[in-house]
Amino acid sequence: MKQTSNNIAYAGLRIFIEVDGLEEEHLRVAFNDTDFCLKLRQKGYRNILNPRASVLHHESKTRRYENSPDKIRRFEDETNLIKQRWKKDCKNDPMLS
């Protein structure tokens, strides 16, 4: 089992590097995960949903509220970047019904 786990971890790392990982320069807080998933899809990989998986994500728990002028400006900049970068994909999102 350990060898299988190592192979899966290596494949994950290889793919992560192939798509240049997370965008940390321009998407420092918001949307870097969304950008990553869209880069995966662009390279032909698929994001697969497991309906039995239980995942808990505490969005913004460590950074608190987005209520200062600097945080609001950063969020708006990141929102505009993701819309510009993935314009076509945002209009034709196969995950939205």
Side-chain angles (χ1 to χ4, degrees), residues 33-94:
D33 52 350
T34 302
D35 183 67
F36 177 69
C37 290
L38 289 167
K39 290 190 297 186
L40 288 172
R41 193 170 78 190
Q42 186 180 53
K43 289 282 190 176
Y45 296 103
R46 296 187 332 177
N47 294 290
I48 299 174
L49 169 72
N50 180 346
R52 293 190 178 101
S54 177
V55 181
L56 185 58
H57 177 63
H58 296 283
E59 184 69 37
S60 306
K61 186 168 184 157
T62 57
R63 68 176 190 258
R64 299 291 187 212
Y65 299 106
E66 300 277 325
N67 58 358
S68 73
D70 287 341
K71 287 182 177 183
I72 291 169
R73 189 175 320 107
R74 183 213 25 89
F75 182 76
E76 289 172 350
D77 290 346
E78 292 184 13
T79 299
N80 290 333
L81 176 66
I82 206 80
K83 285 179 179 178
Q84 176 188 16
R85 182 178 289 174
W86 299 106
K87 188 177 203 173
K88 184 181 116 199
D89 297 86
C90 289
K91 288 183 179 179
N92 302 307
D93 188 342

